[in-house]
Short mmCIF file of all heavy atoms in Angstrom, two decimals:
data_model
loop_
_atom_site.label_atom_id
_atom_site.label_comp_id
_atom_site.label_asym_id
_atom_site.label_seq_id
_atom_site.Cartn_x
_atom_site.Cartn_y
_atom_site.Cartn_z
N GLY A 45 12.06 6.79 -2.01
CA GLY A 45 11.34 7.37 -3.15
C GLY A 45 9.86 7.44 -2.90
O GLY A 45 9.06 7.32 -3.82
N ILE A 46 9.47 7.59 -1.65
CA ILE A 46 8.02 7.60 -1.28
C ILE A 46 7.32 8.72 -2.00
O ILE A 46 6.22 8.56 -2.51
CB ILE A 46 7.86 7.69 0.23
CG1 ILE A 46 8.36 6.43 0.90
CG2 ILE A 46 6.39 7.94 0.59
CD1 ILE A 46 8.47 6.53 2.42
N ASP A 47 7.94 9.91 -2.08
CA ASP A 47 7.28 11.03 -2.75
C ASP A 47 7.16 10.79 -4.24
O ASP A 47 6.25 11.34 -4.87
CB ASP A 47 8.08 12.32 -2.49
CG ASP A 47 7.78 12.88 -1.12
OD1 ASP A 47 6.78 12.47 -0.54
OD2 ASP A 47 8.61 13.75 -0.66
N ILE A 48 8.01 9.97 -4.84
CA ILE A 48 7.97 9.73 -6.28
C ILE A 48 6.92 8.66 -6.57
O ILE A 48 6.20 8.74 -7.58
CB ILE A 48 9.34 9.24 -6.78
CG1 ILE A 48 10.36 10.39 -6.58
CG2 ILE A 48 9.29 8.83 -8.22
CD1 ILE A 48 11.79 9.95 -6.78
N SER A 49 6.84 7.61 -5.77
CA SER A 49 5.96 6.49 -6.04
C SER A 49 5.28 6.02 -4.74
O SER A 49 5.56 4.97 -4.17
CB SER A 49 6.71 5.29 -6.62
OG SER A 49 7.29 5.65 -7.86
N PRO A 50 4.34 6.85 -4.23
CA PRO A 50 3.71 6.52 -2.93
C PRO A 50 2.97 5.18 -2.94
O PRO A 50 2.85 4.51 -1.88
CB PRO A 50 2.77 7.70 -2.67
CG PRO A 50 2.55 8.32 -4.00
CD PRO A 50 3.77 8.06 -4.81
N GLN A 51 2.42 4.77 -4.10
CA GLN A 51 1.68 3.51 -4.17
C GLN A 51 2.49 2.30 -3.81
O GLN A 51 1.97 1.30 -3.35
CB GLN A 51 1.06 3.34 -5.56
CG GLN A 51 2.01 3.06 -6.68
CD GLN A 51 2.71 4.28 -7.24
OE1 GLN A 51 2.50 5.40 -6.79
NE2 GLN A 51 3.55 4.09 -8.20
N ASN A 52 3.83 2.41 -3.94
CA ASN A 52 4.68 1.25 -3.67
C ASN A 52 4.78 0.91 -2.16
O ASN A 52 5.31 -0.13 -1.82
CB ASN A 52 6.10 1.51 -4.19
CG ASN A 52 6.16 1.59 -5.69
OD1 ASN A 52 5.21 1.26 -6.37
ND2 ASN A 52 7.26 2.05 -6.22
N PHE A 53 4.23 1.77 -1.32
CA PHE A 53 4.41 1.61 0.12
C PHE A 53 3.10 1.40 0.87
O PHE A 53 3.11 1.29 2.11
CB PHE A 53 5.20 2.78 0.67
CG PHE A 53 6.52 2.93 -0.03
CD1 PHE A 53 6.59 3.78 -1.13
CD2 PHE A 53 7.61 2.22 0.36
CE1 PHE A 53 7.83 3.90 -1.81
CE2 PHE A 53 8.83 2.32 -0.32
CZ PHE A 53 8.92 3.17 -1.40
N THR A 54 2.00 1.40 0.20
CA THR A 54 0.69 1.32 0.88
C THR A 54 0.39 -0.06 1.41
O THR A 54 -0.08 -0.20 2.55
CB THR A 54 -0.44 1.79 -0.04
OG1 THR A 54 -0.52 0.91 -1.20
CG2 THR A 54 -0.24 3.23 -0.49
N ALA A 55 0.67 -1.09 0.63
CA ALA A 55 0.29 -2.46 1.08
C ALA A 55 1.08 -2.92 2.29
O ALA A 55 0.48 -3.50 3.21
CB ALA A 55 0.40 -3.45 -0.07
N PRO A 56 2.38 -2.72 2.38
CA PRO A 56 3.09 -3.12 3.59
C PRO A 56 2.55 -2.46 4.84
O PRO A 56 2.40 -3.09 5.87
CB PRO A 56 4.53 -2.69 3.34
CG PRO A 56 4.67 -2.66 1.83
CD PRO A 56 3.33 -2.19 1.35
N LEU A 57 2.18 -1.18 4.71
CA LEU A 57 1.61 -0.47 5.85
C LEU A 57 0.23 -1.02 6.20
O LEU A 57 -0.12 -1.13 7.38
CB LEU A 57 1.51 1.06 5.57
CG LEU A 57 2.89 1.75 5.41
CD1 LEU A 57 2.68 3.16 4.92
CD2 LEU A 57 3.64 1.70 6.74
N ALA A 58 -0.58 -1.34 5.20
CA ALA A 58 -1.91 -1.91 5.47
C ALA A 58 -1.76 -3.26 6.15
O ALA A 58 -2.53 -3.56 7.05
CB ALA A 58 -2.68 -2.03 4.15
N LEU A 59 -0.81 -4.07 5.70
CA LEU A 59 -0.59 -5.34 6.34
C LEU A 59 -0.11 -5.19 7.79
O LEU A 59 -0.57 -5.91 8.68
CB LEU A 59 0.42 -6.17 5.55
CG LEU A 59 0.75 -7.55 6.08
CD1 LEU A 59 -0.50 -8.44 6.24
CD2 LEU A 59 1.79 -8.25 5.20
N ALA A 60 0.78 -4.21 8.00
CA ALA A 60 1.25 -3.92 9.37
C ALA A 60 0.04 -3.54 10.25
O ALA A 60 -0.03 -3.98 11.41
CB ALA A 60 2.29 -2.85 9.36
N TYR A 61 -0.87 -2.78 9.70
CA TYR A 61 -2.05 -2.45 10.49
C TYR A 61 -2.89 -3.71 10.80
O TYR A 61 -3.34 -3.89 11.93
CB TYR A 61 -2.98 -1.44 9.72
CG TYR A 61 -4.30 -1.28 10.38
CD1 TYR A 61 -4.44 -0.62 11.57
CD2 TYR A 61 -5.43 -1.88 9.83
CE1 TYR A 61 -5.67 -0.47 12.16
CE2 TYR A 61 -6.67 -1.83 10.44
CZ TYR A 61 -6.78 -1.10 11.63
OH TYR A 61 -8.00 -1.01 12.24
N LEU A 62 -3.08 -4.60 9.81
CA LEU A 62 -3.83 -5.81 10.04
C LEU A 62 -3.23 -6.64 11.19
O LEU A 62 -3.93 -7.28 11.93
CB LEU A 62 -3.90 -6.66 8.77
CG LEU A 62 -4.83 -6.25 7.69
CD1 LEU A 62 -4.74 -7.19 6.49
CD2 LEU A 62 -6.28 -6.18 8.19
N LEU A 63 -1.93 -6.62 11.26
CA LEU A 63 -1.23 -7.44 12.24
C LEU A 63 -1.11 -6.80 13.62
O LEU A 63 -0.99 -7.49 14.62
CB LEU A 63 0.18 -7.82 11.69
CG LEU A 63 0.20 -8.62 10.45
CD1 LEU A 63 1.62 -8.69 9.85
CD2 LEU A 63 -0.35 -10.01 10.68
N THR A 64 -1.13 -5.48 13.65
CA THR A 64 -0.91 -4.80 14.91
C THR A 64 -2.07 -3.99 15.42
O THR A 64 -2.09 -3.62 16.61
CB THR A 64 0.31 -3.81 14.83
OG1 THR A 64 -0.08 -2.76 13.87
CG2 THR A 64 1.57 -4.52 14.35
N ASN A 65 -3.01 -3.64 14.57
CA ASN A 65 -4.15 -2.74 14.86
C ASN A 65 -3.62 -1.35 15.32
O ASN A 65 -4.31 -0.62 16.01
CB ASN A 65 -5.04 -3.31 15.97
CG ASN A 65 -5.85 -4.46 15.44
OD1 ASN A 65 -6.38 -4.40 14.32
ND2 ASN A 65 -5.93 -5.55 16.21
N ASP A 66 -2.42 -1.01 14.88
CA ASP A 66 -1.87 0.29 15.14
C ASP A 66 -2.29 1.27 14.04
O ASP A 66 -1.91 1.09 12.88
CB ASP A 66 -0.33 0.18 15.19
CG ASP A 66 0.35 1.44 15.61
OD1 ASP A 66 -0.21 2.54 15.40
OD2 ASP A 66 1.52 1.37 16.08
N ASN A 67 -3.12 2.20 14.42
CA ASN A 67 -3.69 3.13 13.44
C ASN A 67 -2.67 3.92 12.66
O ASN A 67 -2.93 4.38 11.55
CB ASN A 67 -4.64 4.10 14.14
CG ASN A 67 -5.90 3.45 14.62
OD1 ASN A 67 -6.15 2.25 14.39
ND2 ASN A 67 -6.68 4.17 15.38
#
Side-chain angles (χ1 to χ4, degrees):
I46 294 170
D47 282 343
I48 297 168
S49 299
Q51 69 280 0
N52 293 349
F53 303 92
T54 62
L57 294 171
L59 180 58
Y61 169 74
L62 284 179
L63 296 169
T64 64
N65 289 317
D66 185 336
N67 291 354

